[in-house]
Amino acid sequence: MDQRIEADYWLETSGDPRRTADIMAGEQSSGTFVAVPGETPELTARAAARIEALELLDIATTPSLPSARQSVAGSGRYARARVTLSWPLTTLGPSLPNLMATVAGNLFELAPVTGLRLLDIRLPPAFATAYRGPQFGVAGTRRLSGVDQGPLIGTIVKPSVGFGPAETADLVAKLARAGIDFIKDDELQSDGPLCPFEARVDAVMAVLEAEAQRRGRKVMYAFNLTGDLDQMRRRHDHVLARGGTCVMASLNAVGLVGMIELRRHSQLPIHAHRNGWGYLSRAPGLGWDYRAWHKLWRLAGADHMHVNGLANKFSEGDDSVIASARACGEPLFADRPDATMPVFSSGQTVRQAPGTFAALGTTDLIFAAGGGIIAHPDGPAAGVGALREAWEAAVAGEDLDLAARSRPALAAALRYFT
């Protein structure tokens, strides 16, 4: 069976788009800059990448990338096109690391390329056999957190770093008593001498276990175990032994192999943080679209994936945020959806709840507000209550200002987070 991998690109080039696409296909399969012995028609037929589609979009007068060679940059004509390339599975096998090397290898620096973004990837069923994808996803996260419906109302420990284990546990106790569903370490909090990982886990889980006895369900806490492979395995095992229900890893820091191995070892949901995403995506003429990038991590085993948030503190627009969140729920394979739970964060407050629900149309998400909860003028407990009230109003279709008339915590939050 001729199983093939497909990748869609936005291409800008100083040359003919089809010729540049041919160069891309050759560079990332059986060709090179000059014909070599053994590059027979038969070899090309079984091993070469090929152009599946090419659609001319428009023409630009300046190149997207300032690093374009002077001879290229001075041409005054840069064609933009949507290009689909495909590769036979037989040349690389169902391997995520080698997939990345193939679809995002020596393409971005090719001389005729003055702009390139990887838009999407489609994988043959062999990848579903090789990788198990999310172990818990939406259903498992809801089961472990005890949240059957509505969003998981969550927060991030703030200040991001500086607290020791006892101070962290004190804050967690306040949040847990307020009824929060989910808490995570900040991605900067790891295993430093100021707040050692195992001591932090022990202190936090003592609080959460006690609170679980009172409320009948356990707050899900994502402990940041980012490290080398042996460290991540040991840290995971410590969280598991202490009764924890989630671990967290920084994707760009641990890499695909780290994520794959963590998934193989893990008995807990993996909260995948995308810190560093901006250097892969922010330049419009270079890098990755989330739709393509997140598929690798979903297949590797991410149960939760960050998607930023509406009106966020970063540069990403709302349309991009919602498109990313929707992508998390779209099936990777016809017979195995592998849905992962989107995580909304980054400057989120009560004010983003209505727009998020209206745009996404589901509450299968984690809504993590750091300062949006902890900075509430009446304290973190009021912050949790206000955010929950905002989401209840959003799902019911109530105007926030009207809903706040009978909800003091929400009213205070609306006044504070203008």
Side-chain angles (χ1 to χ4, degrees), residues 302-317:
D303 294 289
H304 314 153
M305 286 199 68
H306 281 241
V307 297
N308 212 336
L310 300 189
N312 57 76
K313 64 184 180 183
F314 298 125
S315 61
E316 188 173 4

Side-chain angles (χ1 to χ4, degrees), residues 311-329:
N312 57 76
K313 64 184 180 183
F314 298 125
S315 61
E316 188 173 4
D318 289 353
D319 288 347
S320 175
V321 172
I322 295 301
S324 298
R326 288 175 178 162
C328 289

